[in-house]
Amino acid sequence: MPTQEELATKTLGDRAVVSPLGLSTARGDTIPDYVPDRAGVLLDIETNDIRDVPPPLLFERAGPREKIFFDPKKTRAAVVTCGGLCPGINNVVRSMVLELFHKYGVAEILGFRYGFMGLDPASGVEPVRLGPDDVRMVHKHGGSFLGTSRGAHDPKVMVDTLVRLGVDILFAIGGDGTLRGAHAIHDEIARRGLRIAVVGVPKTIDNDVPYVDKTFGFDTAVESASGVIDAAHSEAIGAYNGVGLVKLMGRDSGFIAATATLASREVNYCLVPEVPFELDGEHGLLAMIDRRLRARRHAVIVVAEGCAASVAKGDAERDASGNVLYGASGVDVGTHLRDALTMHFAAIGMPANVKYIDPSYVVRGVPANAQDAIFCDALARNAVHAGMAGKTDVVIGRLHRVFTHVPLVVASSRKKRIDPGGGLWLAVTEATGQPRLVAST
């Protein structure tokens, strides 16, 4: 658990510039909804024992400030998108550009291409200028129109680039690896005594950033995944002893698999990295599927890719960011389960039709749905407010449905995971009816 000191938000210095937002309020409303720095959001809002309540921990509340640090007419901002694709990246970039340009009057906005690679001159990739016309229709498309990449780059080199280009605010859109990289950039900026703000926006469809109740792209991924599960159910019930097997993304956390299971209501067994399961034995998955088919003649299984940790053999291949490639040979839990099911039914002489679906890249490459589009816009605007106010080394979070400033080092300190004893997993087990898939101890 972090301390209150660790949750404190850093600011580049005293704010002396009057925010231009007050000049653009609607007619009849002359009071902008500014947020004072003393406004906070409680980390915990409930307790198991009201007789033993510790001192509250609070995050600084996000939102526009009446006085800002940067003079908009002299400010140059930049945006970078890193890591894997995710629905809503383009929405965030578009809303950032429009907020900076139209509301704050910042005319100089750069977009770094292909992630942190674009901040390294050795890559030969130059940044592009961004204005309203450049982002007008990008939110209609999935992916990132700026491009993205994985892997670390030298913070000294990246800060050199920011200084050379005269960048005052860097907005970094990405997951835990990106947030760690952004924090490293901030540390190098601080070491040099520079006044450059670094503000992150959490991007991961796994929804595994701690102290943040939701990351953008998650709702769209769940919607897409639940449609795939429905298709697997159709395949299963359309065949004698049909088994629909769907592998979904989720390296360390099974939030997509669990939430899509609840959305679909057609899943019989949901497997996530946080909850151990066995294949063999009286209480294992294979025996349970056997019983299910004899009773109902069809079954649907959803498995998160991170469950491969239980079947991986030897040293697994990793990507440029150090993440295990769960689609690689030997660590693909989807194909492992498919083959195990096929061999099991062949061994016991039971006819079965196993249909395996892996929609991973389809789920993450689609445009944002309506709910995510709204969320992306709010994240982007709050990121701009933070950057213009001189807030730095922070990521924009949302907690208890209120937007917050979360220090980058806190947001990248661990992964948020499903609590096997919590309400989400209880809801999954009640929706599926699945038992514990391990021997009783």
Side-chain angles (χ1 to χ4, degrees), residues 173-210:
I173 304 170
D176 60 329
T178 302
L179 301 184
R180 286 193 294 271
H183 176 65
I185 291 173
H186 161 268
D187 281 352
E188 177 62 20
I189 289 171
R191 189 187 68 80
R192 301 187 192 188
L194 302 174
R195 293 192 169 188
I196 302 174
V198 180
V199 179
V201 175
K203 169 207 66 70
T204 166
I205 62 173
D206 288 350
N207 197 32
D208 58 2
V209 176

mmCIF file of all heavy atoms in Angstrom, residues 173-210:
data_model
loop_
_atom_site.group_PDB
_atom_site.id
_atom_site.type_symbol
_atom_site.label_atom_id
_atom_site.label_comp_id
_atom_site.label_asym_id
_atom_site.label_seq_id
_atom_site.Cartn_x
_atom_site.Cartn_y
_atom_site.Cartn_z
ATOM 1 N N ILE A 173 0.895 7.699 -24.203
ATOM 2 C CA ILE A 173 -0.286 6.842 -24.159
ATOM 3 C C ILE A 173 0.179 5.393 -24.230
ATOM 4 O O ILE A 173 0.759 4.968 -25.230
ATOM 5 C CB ILE A 173 -1.234 7.161 -25.339
ATOM 6 C CG1 ILE A 173 -1.619 8.638 -25.336
ATOM 7 C CG2 ILE A 173 -2.482 6.280 -25.286
ATOM 8 C CD1 ILE A 173 -2.357 9.085 -26.590
ATOM 9 N N GLY A 174 -0.062 4.626 -23.152
ATOM 10 C CA GLY A 174 0.390 3.239 -23.168
ATOM 11 C C GLY A 174 0.145 2.530 -21.847
ATOM 12 O O GLY A 174 -0.426 3.096 -20.913
ATOM 13 N N GLY A 175 0.594 1.287 -21.778
ATOM 14 C CA GLY A 175 0.401 0.451 -20.610
ATOM 15 C C GLY A 175 1.531 0.566 -19.606
ATOM 16 O O GLY A 175 2.260 1.564 -19.587
ATOM 17 N N ASP A 176 1.727 -0.484 -18.799
ATOM 18 C CA ASP A 176 2.693 -0.380 -17.703
ATOM 19 C C ASP A 176 4.115 -0.151 -18.193
ATOM 20 O O ASP A 176 4.871 0.616 -17.584
ATOM 21 C CB ASP A 176 2.608 -1.619 -16.806
ATOM 22 C CG ASP A 176 2.917 -2.904 -17.553
ATOM 23 O OD1 ASP A 176 2.625 -2.975 -18.758
ATOM 24 O OD2 ASP A 176 3.442 -3.848 -16.934
ATOM 25 N N GLY A 177 4.494 -0.779 -19.304
ATOM 26 C CA GLY A 177 5.827 -0.557 -19.848
ATOM 27 C C GLY A 177 6.015 0.875 -20.310
ATOM 28 O O GLY A 177 7.071 1.485 -20.085
ATOM 29 N N THR A 178 5.008 1.433 -20.949
ATOM 30 C CA THR A 178 5.050 2.822 -21.398
ATOM 31 C C THR A 178 5.135 3.760 -20.204
ATOM 32 O O THR A 178 5.887 4.748 -20.220
ATOM 33 C CB THR A 178 3.793 3.154 -22.215
ATOM 34 O OG1 THR A 178 3.706 2.263 -23.321
ATOM 35 C CG2 THR A 178 3.833 4.591 -22.717
ATOM 36 N N LEU A 179 4.358 3.481 -19.154
ATOM 37 C CA LEU A 179 4.364 4.343 -17.973
ATOM 38 C C LEU A 179 5.729 4.300 -17.281
ATOM 39 O O LEU A 179 6.202 5.326 -16.779
ATOM 40 C CB LEU A 179 3.253 3.921 -17.015
ATOM 41 C CG LEU A 179 1.828 3.968 -17.599
ATOM 42 C CD1 LEU A 179 0.806 3.614 -16.529
ATOM 43 C CD2 LEU A 179 1.526 5.327 -18.201
ATOM 44 N N ARG A 180 6.374 3.120 -17.260
ATOM 45 C CA ARG A 180 7.730 3.053 -16.701
ATOM 46 C C ARG A 180 8.702 3.864 -17.558
ATOM 47 O O ARG A 180 9.586 4.548 -17.031
ATOM 48 C CB ARG A 180 8.187 1.604 -16.592
ATOM 49 C CG ARG A 180 7.525 0.826 -15.450
ATOM 50 C CD ARG A 180 8.235 -0.493 -15.203
ATOM 51 N NE ARG A 180 8.089 -1.405 -16.324
ATOM 52 C CZ ARG A 180 7.093 -2.269 -16.461
ATOM 53 N NH1 ARG A 180 6.151 -2.345 -15.539
ATOM 54 N NH2 ARG A 180 7.030 -3.071 -17.505
ATOM 55 N N GLY A 181 8.531 3.785 -18.882
ATOM 56 C CA GLY A 181 9.381 4.568 -19.771
ATOM 57 C C GLY A 181 9.167 6.061 -19.590
ATOM 58 O O GLY A 181 10.123 6.850 -19.594
ATOM 59 N N ALA A 182 7.901 6.466 -19.427
ATOM 60 C CA ALA A 182 7.593 7.878 -19.205
ATOM 61 C C ALA A 182 8.199 8.362 -17.896
ATOM 62 O O ALA A 182 8.691 9.496 -17.804
ATOM 63 C CB ALA A 182 6.081 8.080 -19.209
ATOM 64 N N HIS A 183 8.162 7.508 -16.865
ATOM 65 C CA HIS A 183 8.757 7.879 -15.584
ATOM 66 C C HIS A 183 10.276 8.041 -15.725
ATOM 67 O O HIS A 183 10.877 8.951 -15.129
ATOM 68 C CB HIS A 183 8.432 6.829 -14.531
ATOM 69 C CG HIS A 183 9.074 7.085 -13.202
ATOM 70 N ND1 HIS A 183 8.771 8.176 -12.422
ATOM 71 C CD2 HIS A 183 10.032 6.381 -12.517
ATOM 72 C CE1 HIS A 183 9.497 8.145 -11.310
ATOM 73 N NE2 HIS A 183 10.269 7.071 -11.348
ATOM 74 N N ALA A 184 10.908 7.169 -16.510
ATOM 75 C CA ALA A 184 12.352 7.290 -16.745
ATOM 76 C C ALA A 184 12.673 8.596 -17.463
ATOM 77 O O ALA A 184 13.692 9.250 -17.163
ATOM 78 C CB ALA A 184 12.848 6.090 -17.553
ATOM 79 N N ILE A 185 11.822 8.980 -18.413
ATOM 80 C CA ILE A 185 12.009 10.261 -19.107
ATOM 81 C C ILE A 185 11.890 11.410 -18.108
ATOM 82 O O ILE A 185 12.686 12.362 -18.119
ATOM 83 C CB ILE A 185 10.973 10.410 -20.242
ATOM 84 C CG1 ILE A 185 11.280 9.415 -21.364
ATOM 85 C CG2 ILE A 185 10.961 11.840 -20.785
ATOM 86 C CD1 ILE A 185 10.224 9.365 -22.451
ATOM 87 N N HIS A 186 10.880 11.331 -17.229
ATOM 88 C CA HIS A 186 10.719 12.384 -16.212
ATOM 89 C C HIS A 186 11.951 12.485 -15.326
ATOM 90 O O HIS A 186 12.426 13.590 -15.014
ATOM 91 C CB HIS A 186 9.496 12.103 -15.338
ATOM 92 C CG HIS A 186 9.539 12.850 -14.036
ATOM 93 N ND1 HIS A 186 10.080 12.307 -12.889
ATOM 94 C CD2 HIS A 186 9.173 14.110 -13.715
ATOM 95 C CE1 HIS A 186 10.041 13.197 -11.912
ATOM 96 N NE2 HIS A 186 9.483 14.292 -12.381
ATOM 97 N N ASP A 187 12.478 11.333 -14.885
ATOM 98 C CA ASP A 187 13.644 11.356 -14.010
ATOM 99 C C ASP A 187 14.828 12.028 -14.683
ATOM 100 O O ASP A 187 15.590 12.772 -14.046
ATOM 101 C CB ASP A 187 14.012 9.932 -13.593
ATOM 102 C CG ASP A 187 13.117 9.393 -12.480
ATOM 103 O OD1 ASP A 187 12.311 10.167 -11.934
ATOM 104 O OD2 ASP A 187 13.232 8.189 -12.166
ATOM 105 N N GLU A 188 15.006 11.773 -15.978
ATOM 106 C CA GLU A 188 16.107 12.412 -16.706
ATOM 107 C C GLU A 188 15.851 13.913 -16.851
ATOM 108 O O GLU A 188 16.781 14.723 -16.738
ATOM 109 C CB GLU A 188 16.274 11.755 -18.074
ATOM 110 C CG GLU A 188 17.348 12.377 -18.958
ATOM 111 C CD GLU A 188 18.753 12.290 -18.352
ATOM 112 O OE1 GLU A 188 18.975 11.443 -17.461
ATOM 113 O OE2 GLU A 188 19.621 13.071 -18.786
ATOM 114 N N ILE A 189 14.604 14.293 -17.083
ATOM 115 C CA ILE A 189 14.249 15.715 -17.151
ATOM 116 C C ILE A 189 14.551 16.393 -15.816
ATOM 117 O O ILE A 189 15.138 17.485 -15.767
ATOM 118 C CB ILE A 189 12.752 15.870 -17.498
ATOM 119 C CG1 ILE A 189 12.506 15.462 -18.956
ATOM 120 C CG2 ILE A 189 12.273 17.304 -17.262
ATOM 121 C CD1 ILE A 189 11.040 15.367 -19.321
ATOM 122 N N ALA A 190 14.157 15.736 -14.716
ATOM 123 C CA ALA A 190 14.383 16.295 -13.388
ATOM 124 C C ALA A 190 15.879 16.392 -13.077
ATOM 125 O O ALA A 190 16.343 17.358 -12.463
ATOM 126 C CB ALA A 190 13.680 15.440 -12.338
ATOM 127 N N ARG A 191 16.640 15.391 -13.498
ATOM 128 C CA ARG A 191 18.091 15.403 -13.263
ATOM 129 C C ARG A 191 18.737 16.606 -13.921
ATOM 130 O O ARG A 191 19.688 17.198 -13.379
ATOM 131 C CB ARG A 191 18.717 14.107 -13.793
ATOM 132 C CG ARG A 191 20.177 13.905 -13.428
ATOM 133 C CD ARG A 191 20.773 12.695 -14.118
ATOM 134 N NE ARG A 191 20.877 12.881 -15.562
ATOM 135 C CZ ARG A 191 21.852 13.566 -16.162
ATOM 136 N NH1 ARG A 191 22.822 14.115 -15.439
ATOM 137 N NH2 ARG A 191 21.883 13.689 -17.476
ATOM 138 N N ARG A 192 18.207 17.001 -15.077
ATOM 139 C CA ARG A 192 18.768 18.149 -15.796
ATOM 140 C C ARG A 192 18.168 19.482 -15.340
ATOM 141 O O ARG A 192 18.603 20.540 -15.794
ATOM 142 C CB ARG A 192 18.525 17.993 -17.303
ATOM 143 C CG ARG A 192 19.127 16.753 -17.921
ATOM 144 C CD ARG A 192 18.973 16.780 -19.419
ATOM 145 N NE ARG A 192 19.290 15.501 -20.036
ATOM 146 C CZ ARG A 192 19.384 15.290 -21.361
ATOM 147 N NH1 ARG A 192 19.152 16.315 -22.196
ATOM 148 N NH2 ARG A 192 19.669 14.108 -21.842
ATOM 149 N N GLY A 193 17.151 19.426 -14.475
ATOM 150 C CA GLY A 193 16.532 20.656 -14.013
ATOM 151 C C GLY A 193 15.689 21.342 -15.076
ATOM 152 O O GLY A 193 15.514 22.567 -15.046
ATOM 153 N N LEU A 194 15.126 20.565 -16.011
ATOM 154 C CA LEU A 194 14.325 21.128 -17.093
ATOM 155 C C LEU A 194 12.863 21.260 -16.682
ATOM 156 O O LEU A 194 12.392 20.563 -15.776
ATOM 157 C CB LEU A 194 14.422 20.229 -18.334
ATOM 158 C CG LEU A 194 15.834 19.987 -18.876
ATOM 159 C CD1 LEU A 194 15.788 18.970 -20.014
ATOM 160 C CD2 LEU A 194 16.458 21.303 -19.354
ATOM 161 N N ARG A 195 12.151 22.139 -17.331
ATOM 162 C CA ARG A 195 10.731 22.337 -17.060
ATOM 163 C C ARG A 195 9.914 21.765 -18.216
ATOM 164 O O ARG A 195 9.364 22.496 -19.046
ATOM 165 C CB ARG A 195 10.432 23.816 -16.833
ATOM 166 C CG ARG A 195 11.065 24.359 -15.558
ATOM 167 C CD ARG A 195 10.543 25.721 -15.179
ATOM 168 N NE ARG A 195 10.954 26.104 -13.840
ATOM 169 C CZ ARG A 195 10.517 27.172 -13.205
ATOM 170 N NH1 ARG A 195 9.641 27.985 -13.803
ATOM 171 N NH2 ARG A 195 10.940 27.449 -11.983
ATOM 172 N N ILE A 196 9.871 20.443 -18.273
ATOM 173 C CA ILE A 196 9.095 19.709 -19.268
ATOM 174 C C ILE A 196 8.161 18.772 -18.508
ATOM 175 O O ILE A 196 8.615 17.997 -17.654
ATOM 176 C CB ILE A 196 9.990 18.896 -20.217
ATOM 177 C CG1 ILE A 196 10.981 19.801 -20.944
ATOM 178 C CG2 ILE A 196 9.137 18.109 -21.217
ATOM 179 C CD1 ILE A 196 11.990 19.050 -21.791
ATOM 180 N N ALA A 197 6.880 18.854 -18.793
ATOM 181 C CA ALA A 197 5.898 18.007 -18.116
ATOM 182 C C ALA A 197 5.746 16.676 -18.850
ATOM 183 O O ALA A 197 5.779 16.635 -20.083
ATOM 184 C CB ALA A 197 4.552 18.715 -18.032
ATOM 185 N N VAL A 198 5.559 15.607 -18.089
ATOM 186 C CA VAL A 198 5.306 14.279 -18.654
ATOM 187 C C VAL A 198 4.004 13.759 -18.045
ATOM 188 O O VAL A 198 3.905 13.590 -16.827
ATOM 189 C CB VAL A 198 6.456 13.303 -18.337
ATOM 190 C CG1 VAL A 198 6.158 11.927 -18.932
ATOM 191 C CG2 VAL A 198 7.784 13.838 -18.859
ATOM 192 N N VAL A 199 3.021 13.523 -18.913
ATOM 193 C CA VAL A 199 1.699 13.087 -18.470
ATOM 194 C C VAL A 199 1.310 11.827 -19.239
ATOM 195 O O VAL A 199 1.397 11.792 -20.471
ATOM 196 C CB VAL A 199 0.633 14.180 -18.691
ATOM 197 C CG1 VAL A 199 -0.746 13.696 -18.244
ATOM 198 C CG2 VAL A 199 1.021 15.453 -17.949
ATOM 199 N N GLY A 200 0.881 10.795 -18.525
ATOM 200 C CA GLY A 200 0.494 9.541 -19.163
ATOM 201 C C GLY A 200 -1.003 9.355 -19.229
ATOM 202 O O GLY A 200 -1.759 9.929 -18.434
ATOM 203 N N VAL A 201 -1.423 8.547 -20.190
ATOM 204 C CA VAL A 201 -2.815 8.092 -20.299
ATOM 205 C C VAL A 201 -2.768 6.570 -20.354
ATOM 206 O O VAL A 201 -2.115 6.007 -21.241
ATOM 207 C CB VAL A 201 -3.516 8.659 -21.546
ATOM 208 C CG1 VAL A 201 -4.912 8.055 -21.689
ATOM 209 C CG2 VAL A 201 -3.605 10.169 -21.466
ATOM 210 N N PRO A 202 -3.423 5.879 -19.408
ATOM 211 C CA PRO A 202 -3.301 4.417 -19.334
ATOM 212 C C PRO A 202 -4.032 3.713 -20.465
ATOM 213 O O PRO A 202 -5.226 3.896 -20.656
ATOM 214 C CB PRO A 202 -3.926 4.077 -17.975
ATOM 215 C CG PRO A 202 -4.904 5.181 -17.726
ATOM 216 C CD PRO A 202 -4.307 6.414 -18.355
ATOM 217 N N LYS A 203 -3.293 2.898 -21.229
ATOM 218 C CA LYS A 203 -3.855 2.188 -22.378
ATOM 219 C C LYS A 203 -3.544 0.712 -22.244
ATOM 220 O O LYS A 203 -2.395 0.290 -22.383
ATOM 221 C CB LYS A 203 -3.246 2.721 -23.679
ATOM 222 C CG LYS A 203 -3.569 1.874 -24.913
ATOM 223 C CD LYS A 203 -2.516 1.978 -25.985
ATOM 224 C CE LYS A 203 -1.207 1.395 -25.586
ATOM 225 N NZ LYS A 203 -1.214 -0.089 -25.463
ATOM 226 N N THR A 204 -4.529 -0.080 -21.923
ATOM 227 C CA THR A 204 -4.376 -1.528 -21.963
ATOM 228 C C THR A 204 -5.749 -2.177 -21.906
ATOM 229 O O THR A 204 -6.528 -1.886 -21.002
ATOM 230 C CB THR A 204 -3.503 -2.061 -20.814
ATOM 231 O OG1 THR A 204 -3.659 -3.481 -20.719
ATOM 232 C CG2 THR A 204 -3.874 -1.432 -19.482
ATOM 233 N N ILE A 205 -6.039 -3.026 -22.881
ATOM 234 C CA ILE A 205 -7.335 -3.693 -22.847
ATOM 235 C C ILE A 205 -7.398 -4.725 -21.736
ATOM 236 O O ILE A 205 -8.483 -5.203 -21.396
ATOM 237 C CB ILE A 205 -7.673 -4.356 -24.207
ATOM 238 C CG1 ILE A 205 -6.661 -5.437 -24.574
ATOM 239 C CG2 ILE A 205 -7.782 -3.316 -25.301
ATOM 240 C CD1 ILE A 205 -7.047 -6.216 -25.809
ATOM 241 N N ASP A 206 -6.239 -5.048 -21.121
ATOM 242 C CA ASP A 206 -6.252 -5.988 -20.000
ATOM 243 C C ASP A 206 -6.814 -5.360 -18.733
ATOM 244 O O ASP A 206 -7.114 -6.078 -17.775
ATOM 245 C CB ASP A 206 -4.838 -6.497 -19.726
ATOM 246 C CG ASP A 206 -4.338 -7.459 -20.789
ATOM 247 O OD1 ASP A 206 -5.166 -7.873 -21.630
ATOM 248 O OD2 ASP A 206 -3.146 -7.787 -20.796
ATOM 249 N N ASN A 207 -6.911 -4.026 -18.688
ATOM 250 C CA ASN A 207 -7.475 -3.316 -17.533
ATOM 251 C C ASN A 207 -6.707 -3.630 -16.256
ATOM 252 O O ASN A 207 -7.288 -3.762 -15.173
ATOM 253 C CB ASN A 207 -8.958 -3.675 -17.349
ATOM 254 C CG ASN A 207 -9.690 -2.689 -16.453
ATOM 255 O OD1 ASN A 207 -9.372 -1.505 -16.418
ATOM 256 N ND2 ASN A 207 -10.676 -3.175 -15.721
ATOM 257 N N ASP A 208 -5.375 -3.730 -16.356
ATOM 258 C CA ASP A 208 -4.587 -4.199 -15.227
ATOM 259 C C ASP A 208 -3.712 -3.128 -14.582
ATOM 260 O O ASP A 208 -2.762 -3.443 -13.862
ATOM 261 C CB ASP A 208 -3.721 -5.396 -15.644
ATOM 262 C CG ASP A 208 -2.787 -5.073 -16.810
ATOM 263 O OD1 ASP A 208 -2.773 -3.912 -17.272
ATOM 264 O OD2 ASP A 208 -2.067 -5.991 -17.257
ATOM 265 N N VAL A 209 -4.006 -1.840 -14.836
ATOM 266 C CA VAL A 209 -3.257 -0.757 -14.191
ATOM 267 C C VAL A 209 -3.799 -0.547 -12.778
ATOM 268 O O VAL A 209 -5.001 -0.340 -12.601
ATOM 269 C CB VAL A 209 -3.357 0.546 -15.005
ATOM 270 C CG1 VAL A 209 -2.656 1.687 -14.279
ATOM 271 C CG2 VAL A 209 -2.755 0.356 -16.395
ATOM 272 N N PRO A 210 -2.934 -0.597 -11.764
ATOM 273 C CA PRO A 210 -3.428 -0.462 -10.385
ATOM 274 C C PRO A 210 -3.884 0.953 -10.065
ATOM 275 O O PRO A 210 -3.437 1.915 -10.703
ATOM 276 C CB PRO A 210 -2.205 -0.840 -9.542
ATOM 277 C CG PRO A 210 -1.038 -0.478 -10.394
ATOM 278 C CD PRO A 210 -1.468 -0.768 -11.813
#
